[in-house]
Amino acid sequence: MAETTYDIVIIGGGPGGYTAAIRAGQYGLKVALIEKEKKLGGTCLNVGCIPTKSLLFDAEVYDHLKNATAHGIEGVGTITLNWKTILDRKNGIITKHVKGLDFLMRKNKVTVIEGYGKLTGPAKDGIHSIAVEAANGEKKVVQAKNVIIATGSDARMLPGVESDANRILTNIEILALPQIPKSMVVIGAGAVGVEFGSIFKSFGSEVTIVEYLPRMVPNEDEDVSKELSRVFRKRGIDTYTGAKVEKVEKTNDGVKVTFTGSDGKQVTKEAETVLVAVGRAPRTANLGLEATKVEVERGFIRVDEWMQTGEPGIFAIGDVVAGLPQLAHVAAMAGTVVAAKVAGKRARPVRRDRIPACTYCEPQIGSVGLTEAQAKAAGHQVKVGKFPFSANSKASIVGSHEGFVKVVADAKHGELLGVHIIGPQATEMIAESVVALELEATIEELMFTIHAHPTLAEAMLDGFGSVENMAINV
Ligand SMILES: Cc1cc2nc3c(=O)[nH]c(=O)nc-3n(C[C@H](O)[C@H](O)[C@H](O)COP(=O)(O)OP(=O)(O)OC[C@H]3O[C@@H](n4cnc5c(N)ncnc54)[C@H](O)[C@@H]3O)c2cc1C
């Protein structure tokens, strides 16, 4: 029999779960967080956002050093990579932030329970019971007035293909490879695929990217996809779109990937490794959902605008939610919303059309709001502006001229509808446009918003001006 009844029990300690726990603790609620792994942080901290960005930063430093003499830096000599140091640095960052989470749990009086959490059925007299089984087989039951499911996702695999330690990889194995592979085929040109493709190209691997849909980063504006393909080709990354993978086979010293290209011709690529980056499947099996009224759609959990499932008192957040982009900041904000709701505080639902999407490959991509095609499909009379980084002075200073800022606006009222950036620091620069969308800014207001000089952010001012054909610098 459980001795404590918590206000909220959260199953899953990733960015969705730990953010909900911290915020609920700040509101003074009694909170428990159940996590099956030894470390908090989930996919994001351990095998996702943070380790990939650590590698991407190392790749950026390495790329700069290759070009040192152009900056007047002599005597660098032959530069080489120490893969072990790269991995140690990445692991050090993870460890530091896992410790940070442990501290935040103590600070906010969150009880962390190690073990696998599972619902036991609907609430009885308003109290939910969650069965927890620890790794050593110990079992207990935890009781709560509210439950948040934040169990995240796993890499999807192609049918009949299984990952291993060093040839057929997902995001987990690739982050612990014994050495940098000489060659790699990446299946999937979404954010995960293009980020790893970008990292390993910088580190010297021969990289081929194969995408089933007709364009790279298919969720982005079409112009962004075209620009990424162009720059990746220029970087020597071989890309195939509209290509269907038929077979992935292990060979004596690597892998062989056979696919049909967009022209209907069969292509075979041999490489040391293959990364499968074809999306993420929600972890909703074996959670006891079938004993409740929680509705599931192709494995994802259906929720209303407050993340409430079909079962009263059970919420779902993060990668398990149907129709939400699988991003750490979306999971975290959804956790914040649920904590506020349960605490009876003011909250705003997550607006699905105001979620920034960032891809940290070289060149970076940052976008928010409607693409040009989506704005037209939604019935807007659309006005579009585009400003190239080649005309921005700070881009010359940092030696990064690829890409542009594209702004999508409503022609009738001048309302900002979407912003799509590809180029230097795009992932940082997009924040301004998220705020602009939140505040329902018009192009005119943005054209009179002062941006410091010389900055990459000035490209935003020119981007907004370009909607009215009045960018200053082109
Ligand atoms: C390679 C890669 C790079 C990425 N980069 C970015 C990025 O740059 N920016 C970004 O926004 N997003 C990025 N993402 C996506 C991001 O990692 C996810 O959207 C985010 O982690 C989802 O958070 P979550 O809390 O829903 O789930 P998760 O982070 O997956 O956490 C779920 C947690 O629940 C635990 N769990 C599962 N089932 C149970 C159970 N029954 N009982 C107890 N515990 C359980 C798991 O062990 C895990 O710790 C990336 C993903 C990958 C794979």
Side-chain angles (χ1 to χ4, degrees):
M1 191 63 200
E3 317 94 52
T4 313
T5 299
Y6 292 94
D7 293 312
I8 307 186
V9 162
I10 302 156
I11 310 178
Y18 71 69
T19 306
I22 292 169
R23 182 52 56 87
Q26 289 168 340
Y27 285 133
L29 299 177
K30 210 171 185 30
V31 194
L33 179 65
I34 304 171
E35 170 55 56
K36 67 180 170 63
E37 301 296 331
K38 291 224 167 313
K39 294 190 292 181
L40 293 179
T43 300
C44 173
L45 177 51
N46 295 292
V47 286
C49 326
I50 303 301
T52 49
K53 269 80 250 179
S54 170
L55 264 55
L56 277 155
F57 184 69
D58 293 339
E60 190 183 333
V61 172
Y62 187 51
D63 283 342
H64 282 306
L65 283 175
K66 288 177 203 162
N67 210 15
T69 49
H71 294 275
I73 304 166
E74 307 281 348
V76 174
T78 312
I79 54 166
T80 53
L81 289 169
N82 185 327
W83 179 237
K84 185 179 173 303
T85 308
I86 290 172
L87 292 186
D88 286 349
R89 179 172 178 277
K90 172 216 42 143
N91 293 337
I93 294 168
I94 295 172
T95 304
K96 171 173 182 262
H97 287 271
V98 169
K99 278 191 191 147
L101 285 176
D102 293 340
F103 162 76
L104 289 173
M105 293 305 121
R106 286 193 301 274
K107 181 181 169 200
N108 292 291
K109 301 189 174 51
V110 174
T111 304
V112 178
I113 302 170
E114 204 183 303
Y116 188 95
K118 192 172 171 176
L119 299 165
T120 56
K124 288 193 186 99
D125 301 325
I127 305 295
H128 296 272
S129 297
I130 302 104
V132 184
E133 181 168 355
N136 64 7
E138 248 172 58
K139 290 182 186 167
K140 65 169 151 183
V141 173
V142 182
Q143 296 195 321
K145 294 180 194 153
N146 299 279
V147 179
I148 304 179
I149 300 168
T151 47
S153 62
D154 286 310
R156 279 192 201 280
M157 264 292 145
L158 293 167
V161 178
E162 257 181 54
S163 62
D164 61 19
N166 53 10
R167 283 196 280 174
I168 302 180
L169 316 170
T170 68
N171 61 299
I172 296 177
E173 301 82 20
I174 196 171
L175 287 164
L177 278 175
Q179 74 255 327
I180 296 170
K182 287 195 180 62
S183 52
M184 174 182 291
V185 175
V186 177
I187 305 178
V192 173
V194 299
E195 285 185 3
F196 278 117
S198 186
I199 291 167
F200 284 96
K201 181 67 201 176
S202 292
F203 286 167
S205 311
E206 195 183 291
V207 176
T208 305
I209 301 183
V210 183
E211 166 60 46
Y212 177 71
L213 290 170
R215 56 194 178 90
M216 306 271 289
V217 284
N219 291 334
E220 298 292 343
D221 188 276
E222 267 189 70
D223 286 347
V224 169
S225 297
K226 272 189 211 144
E227 181 70 355
L228 184 69
S229 294
R230 187 188 70 77
V231 180
F232 265 24
R233 270 198 302 275
K234 200 168 146 189
R235 289 186 61 195
I237 299 174
D238 215 2
T239 61
Y240 293 81
T241 52
K244 185 171 186 300
V245 172
E246 312 287 355
K247 250 189 294 178
V248 177
E249 297 159 282
K250 287 189 191 174
T251 59
N252 285 341
D253 47 4
V255 282
K256 192 159 91 175
V257 180
T258 308
F259 55 93
T260 308
S262 54
D263 55 3
K265 287 197 187 126
Q266 210 169 61
V267 183
T268 300
K269 284 269 165 192
E270 291 204 37
E272 235 176 69
T273 54
V274 59
L275 169 70
V276 183
V278 294
R280 312 268 314 162
R283 286 192 201 109
T284 49
N286 200 24
L287 274 184
L289 297 183
E290 42 314 313
T292 69
K293 289 200 218 90
V294 174
E295 285 177 55
V296 176
E297 174 185 330
R298 292 181 302 112
F300 290 95
I301 298 176
R302 281 212 192 119
V303 295
D304 68 8
E305 59 176 345
W306 299 109
M307 305 291 144
Q308 164 76 59
T309 69
E311 179 72 43
I314 299 186
F315 299 82
I317 58 174
D319 282 10
V320 292
V321 173
L324 266 192
Q326 291 176 305
L327 294 168
H329 43 281
V330 179
M333 188 53 82
T336 309
V337 170
V338 177
K341 260 312 211 196
V342 170
K345 305 287 179 192
R346 255 165 70 95
R348 284 194 332 178
V350 173
R351 281 278 305 254
R352 297 183 187 208
D353 54 348
R354 289 178 187 164
I355 295 172
C358 290
T359 306
Y360 301 74
C361 55
E362 173 54 42
Q364 295 187 358
I365 300 168
S367 64
V368 65
L370 302 180
T371 64
E372 184 178 352
Q374 285 166 344
K376 284 179 179 158
H380 289 281
Q381 209 182 311
V382 172
K383 230 176 176 179
V384 171
K386 212 165 160 189
F387 179 80
F389 279 106
S390 56
N392 172 272
S393 51
K394 185 67 187 283
S396 300
I397 293 164
V398 301
S400 191
H401 264 153
E402 310 289 4
F404 53 77
V405 171
K406 176 172 174 176
V407 179
V408 181
D410 179 84
K412 243 177 56 225
H413 308 290
E415 190 187 342
L416 181 68
L417 298 175
V419 174
H420 309 275
I421 313 170
I422 177 164
Q425 299 300 328
T427 56
E428 300 289 340
M429 295 220 300
I430 197 63
E432 162 182 11
S433 301
V434 183
V435 177
L437 277 177
E438 275 293 340
L439 300 179
E440 299 181 354
T442 62
I443 295 299
E444 191 186 31
E445 286 164 329
L446 292 164
M447 282 173 71
F448 282 99
T449 302
I450 303 174
H451 290 66
H453 175 77
T455 56
L456 293 166
E458 270 178 303
M460 299 304 305
L461 183 59
D462 272 320
F464 299 131
S466 66
V467 174
E468 299 298 345
N469 276 323
M470 284 201 279
I472 296 294
N473 292 296
V474 275

